[in-house]
Amino acid sequence: MEFGVLGPVAAWDASGGEVRLGGPRHREVLARLLVARRRTVPVSQLVADLWEETPDNAIGAVRTFVAALRKALEPDRAARTPSRLLVTEGPGYALRPALHAVDAWRFEEDVSRASVLSPAEAVPVLDRALGLWRGPAFADFSEASWVGGERARLSQLRLHAVERRADGLIRSGAAREAVPDLDAHVIDHPWREDGWQLLAMALYRAGRQGDALAVLRRGRQVLSGQLGIEPGLGLARLEQDILRQERRLEDPVGGAMDDPVGAVWSRAAAAYDSAVPAGSGARLEATAGLLRDLAVTGGSGLGAARQHRAAAVAAAERTGDVELTARVIGVYDVPAVWTRVDDVDEARAVVLAARRTLARLPEATPAGVRARLLAAIALDSRGDALAEGPLPLAAGAPMAEPWRLRAERAAAQAQSIVQTLSDARLRAFTLNGVFMQSFAQCGLAARRDAIGEAMIGLSREHGLVGPEILGSLVRVQALAGSGDLVGADMQADAADALAERHERPLTTVFTAWYRALRAALSGDPGAELAAYENAGHRLEGCGMPGFADGLPALVRLSRVVRSGALPGPEEFAGADWGPYGLWVRPLLLLGEERREEATVALGSVPRPPHDLMQEALWCLLARAASLAGEQRVAARAVAELAPVAGQSAGASSGLLTFGPVADFIAEATTVQAKVW
């Protein structure tokens, strides 16, 4: 099912046929739910939006409209089975289509994607985005107050896309192709100065200097004479540049529009280049700070920041300035919620550099510098990133692991130091390190919830956006693990609101996965599939391989495990298990009726990593051990899972569930033996 709002509101079935939605009120209810973007709209709000004067039977009428829409949207749904698309939730209704199923959402995604592409690459993406428009957004509800803001936002984004497409054509050497559409654009939207400048630039690049000058004069006349708007400096500056035939206008990658933000950036960067020596420590420290800001943009920005961070740390060490090295390492206080590192080699290099730097710091070094290095060690030593040699076996007894003990001590020492300091940002960074080292055993969700709560309180007191979002995400995981889904919902909504306001795109990757877990826990297979499809789309280009790798396959496996079945040999052929393959393999072998090999695999599999996935992976081992009769792994799994016996397996990851932990403990108990 697909939905269209970029024009009259419409829906199409899988074959492309238009769905008969009913009368105007039915279509208005559908449109109102689409504006809510998968969130619940209370019935009381629907009533207020549909009628200026509320009729006596308004609530009953809304329910009738919803029932008719459900029948139209899911004609094959069996009687008295819950809807998977238009769901009843709490006090109202929510429409839960996949992200790619709504034309406005696809349009926004393409416009956003085009912004990071080269001009030549951006043009076809913007062509596809603009081709989705069939008329004004929500054309049949132009007078409705509830849609005014959304219509205006989409319309402005469309104008922006038109101009970005023209700019891409000009920059990529296809200026002539941009002229006709720009000519129509300035006639329809004469108040947009960017349109006049783009048209003049396109004409100039097409060899029509006289026409370009005439357009600029006409633009000034329209703005001042007809609209009463004082033209900006951009028009006059471009006219002077054309008269002088400035060389920059011929540059195919030069700016086609007056960009005040870009101009400020360029001037500031040029001033910095001229004022700060190329090989100075100040330049290196500033670079590390820039990488910190780059990392929170997600996608390619996060990957680039991670890559260049290790190089910056190595360069700082080569200077021999130990305090500079400490600052370069410590300034990268990027909030991190996932407990597996994206790049093990980079993490190891940073941690080893931090340990060397700590050992060489003068006694008079400020306490805050030491705390930052210790927090960096705790943060980047998450999971088994710093393991020294093979991991201990799941079939063996628990044992001390030096690399983990060092990281836990670093977190504790950093927290002890910052108690006496007033640096709120450093205290938040230290709490992040403490969180990463709070996985010594299963069942510590309550401790992590307290850490998240402390992060939120500190952040609100001092205006720290990143740590506040991190605190909410930590609480989402912890509350989901302990079964408080209402509390987890509230924290996910709070994180999304902050992310939208402060442009933190990575946040919604985690909240989308939590909402998929929420759907799985609700027991609605249709809602679960749709939610995981949405979450899966967000993994593409998120820049977090340590988070994304293997997750889609694990989600598919979770449905099989919850059903009590074994994974079939063909069902998972070619599946990418990412870093989880070792712990999944015994079950896969059992599914292929290779019991002896499964027993051998259980005897050699390492204990699950001490991270957000450890409880889920212990449950997989418990089931495999119970089926294969592997007593040592079964006994170890029962002991490890005992603290979470009343919880849902994997829920504390905020990602997925394999079902009640108690079921796995019961299965493993039948074969366990005291072997230690």
Side-chain angles (χ1 to χ4, degrees):
M1 186 67 61
E2 292 188 359
F3 299 90
V5 298
L6 301 180
V9 174
W12 301 275
D13 59 26
S15 65
E18 187 165 354
V19 176
R20 298 174 65 89
L21 297 173
R25 290 298 191 195
H26 298 79
R27 304 170 77 86
E28 190 167 7
V29 169
L30 179 67
R32 180 63 184 86
L33 294 175
L34 284 168
V35 167
R37 290 177 173 260
R38 300 171 58 87
R39 291 187 172 88
T40 301
V41 181
V43 172
S44 58
Q45 186 63 57
L46 285 170
V47 168
D49 287 338
L50 262 63
W51 291 282
E52 292 184 6
E53 296 183 9
T54 307
D56 293 338
N57 64 338
I59 293 178
V62 168
R63 289 173 178 160
T64 300
F65 299 150
V66 169
L69 283 171
R70 282 174 171 160
K71 186 174 181 180
L73 297 176
E74 295 178 289
D76 298 326
R77 181 168 55 90
R80 291 185 293 279
T81 59
S83 173
R84 298 180 301 175
L85 185 59
L86 206 172
V87 302
T88 301
E89 192 170 80
Y93 303 102
L95 189 66
R96 297 280 167 75
L99 286 183
H100 65 271
V102 181
D103 58 2
W105 302 353
R106 294 203 306 275
F107 169 74
E108 292 179 64
E109 183 179 1
D110 279 342
V111 173
S112 175
R113 179 169 168 250
S115 67
V116 297
L117 297 175
S118 69
E121 293 170 329
V123 169
V125 175
L126 291 169
D127 278 338
R128 180 177 64 203
L130 291 166
L132 295 169
W133 286 74
R134 298 169 289 112
F138 297 91
D140 31 7
F141 302 107
S142 59
E143 302 301 320
S145 59
W146 52 265
V147 79
E150 182 69 356
R151 291 184 79 242
R153 188 183 68 83
L154 287 170
S155 297
Q156 288 300 311
L157 189 58
R158 180 182 177 279
L159 296 178
H160 172 79
V162 168
E163 291 168 358
R164 293 277 68 76
R165 174 186 176 276
D167 193 45
L169 287 170
I170 295 168
R171 289 172 182 259
S172 58
R176 292 180 186 276
E177 297 178 32
V179 172
D181 287 343
L182 282 172
D183 215 350
H185 180 67
V186 298
I187 291 172
D188 292 338
H189 310 284
W191 62 88
R192 293 185 68 87
E193 290 190 40
D194 288 344
W196 292 105
Q197 291 184 65
L198 280 165
L199 178 55
M201 180 64 77
L203 290 165
Y204 182 79
R205 290 274 183 86
R208 298 165 59 183
Q209 181 177 350
D211 290 338
L213 292 170
V215 159
L216 291 171
R217 286 193 290 270
R218 179 158 58 97
R220 287 203 310 274
Q221 290 169 0
V222 170
L223 289 166
S224 60
Q226 298 180 26
L227 301 177
I229 300 173
E230 187 64 25
L233 294 175
L235 290 177
R237 186 181 302 120
L238 181 56
E239 183 175 15
Q240 291 300 313
D241 288 345
I242 289 175
L243 286 168
R244 296 169 183 162
Q245 297 185 344
E246 290 284 350
R247 179 171 298 180
R248 74 175 186 85
L249 299 181
E250 299 294 340
D251 182 0
V253 297
M257 300 171 59
D258 186 41
D259 177 6
V261 175
V264 170
W265 174 272
S266 297
R267 289 195 296 269
Y272 191 92
D273 275 342
S274 62
V276 181
S280 68
R283 184 178 286 252
L284 189 56
E285 195 170 348
T287 299
L290 184 64
L291 294 176
R292 174 188 62 200
D293 295 337
L294 180 63
V296 299
T297 65
S300 60
L302 177 59
R306 188 170 57 241
Q307 173 188 353
H308 296 307
R309 180 196 180 198
V313 170
E317 276 204 291
R318 284 196 296 272
T319 68
D321 186 335
V322 65
E323 294 186 22
L324 170 65
T325 304
R327 293 195 299 273
V328 168
I329 293 172
V331 76
Y332 193 85
D333 53 358
V334 177
V337 70
W338 192 240
T339 47
R340 182 181 293 274
V341 296
D342 295 319
D343 186 324
V344 173
D345 292 336
E346 180 264 341
R348 182 181 295 275
V350 170
V351 169
L352 293 178
R355 287 170 54 190
R356 289 191 296 267
T357 303
L358 265 174
R360 296 172 53 210
L361 281 175
E363 290 186 10
T365 300
V369 175
R370 294 184 184 276
R372 279 192 176 277
L373 286 173
L374 290 164
I377 290 172
L379 197 66
D380 284 301
S381 298
R382 66 189 96 164
D384 295 318
L386 273 294
E388 298 165 349
L391 297 180
L393 297 180
M399 59 184 293
E401 300 169 19
W403 62 88
R404 288 192 50 252
L405 296 177
R406 280 197 296 268
E408 290 172 5
R409 281 197 300 268
Q413 290 169 0
Q415 191 171 35
S416 176
I417 292 172
V418 299
Q419 299 305 315
T420 63
L421 304 177
S422 58
D423 187 337
R425 185 161 184 158
L426 174 55
R427 288 164 61 193
F429 184 40
T430 300
L431 281 171
N432 201 169
V434 172
F435 162 72
M436 286 298 176
Q437 296 305 320
S438 62
F439 297 89
Q441 63 185 59
C442 297
L444 298 180
R447 180 186 300 179
R448 293 194 288 275
D449 187 42
I451 294 170
E453 194 170 14
M455 285 182 183
I456 294 171
L458 176 68
S459 301
R460 289 177 177 172
E461 182 181 354
H462 296 279
L464 304 176
V465 175
E468 183 176 356
I469 293 174
L470 173 63
S472 286
L473 294 178
V474 167
R475 295 204 69 196
V476 165
Q477 297 166 343
L479 292 169
S482 60
D484 183 359
L485 299 181
V486 173
D489 289 346
M490 293 174 62
Q491 293 301 322
D493 288 344
D496 278 342
L498 282 169
E500 183 176 0
R501 194 180 322 140
H502 298 282
E503 298 181 354
R504 301 296 176 94
L506 289 180
T507 304
T508 57
V509 176
F510 292 100
T511 55
W513 275 88
Y514 162 69
R515 291 191 172 92
L517 163 65
R518 187 73 159 85
L521 292 169
S522 74
D524 183 342
E528 178 184 353
L529 285 170
Y532 274 119
E533 182 181 10
N534 171 30
H537 286 312
R538 294 176 183 270
L539 293 179
E540 299 172 8
C542 73
M544 297 183 290
F547 174 73
D549 287 354
L551 274 185
L554 274 187
V555 167
R556 289 168 52 206
L557 179 65
S558 70
R559 290 191 283 269
V560 174
V561 171
R562 291 202 306 272
S563 73
L566 282 170
E570 296 181 0
E571 187 177 5
F572 291 95
D576 178 9
W577 297 104
Y580 308 109
L582 289 173
W583 297 280
V584 173
R585 188 165 181 267
L587 268 184
L588 296 177
L589 290 170
L590 288 166
E592 297 173 8
E593 300 183 357
R594 297 159 63 185
R595 178 169 173 167
E596 291 185 6
E597 292 177 63
T599 302
V600 171
L602 283 166
S604 60
V605 69
R607 56 108 181 112
H610 291 279
D611 62 18
L612 281 161
M613 294 299 293
Q614 66 174 326
E615 294 161 10
L617 298 181
W618 272 118
C619 286
L620 293 184
L621 292 182
R623 172 152 303 172
S626 68
L627 294 172
E630 216 298 340
Q631 295 178 329
R632 295 169 303 167
V633 174
R636 175 79 183 272
V638 169
E640 294 287 348
L641 291 171
V644 291
Q647 297 180 13
S648 181
S652 63
S653 68
L655 305 176
L656 50 78
T657 177
F658 290 125
V661 173
D663 292 351
F664 297 94
I665 292 177
E667 293 170 14
T669 301
T670 62
V671 296
Q672 70 167 314
K674 294 181 179 180
V675 295
W676 309 322

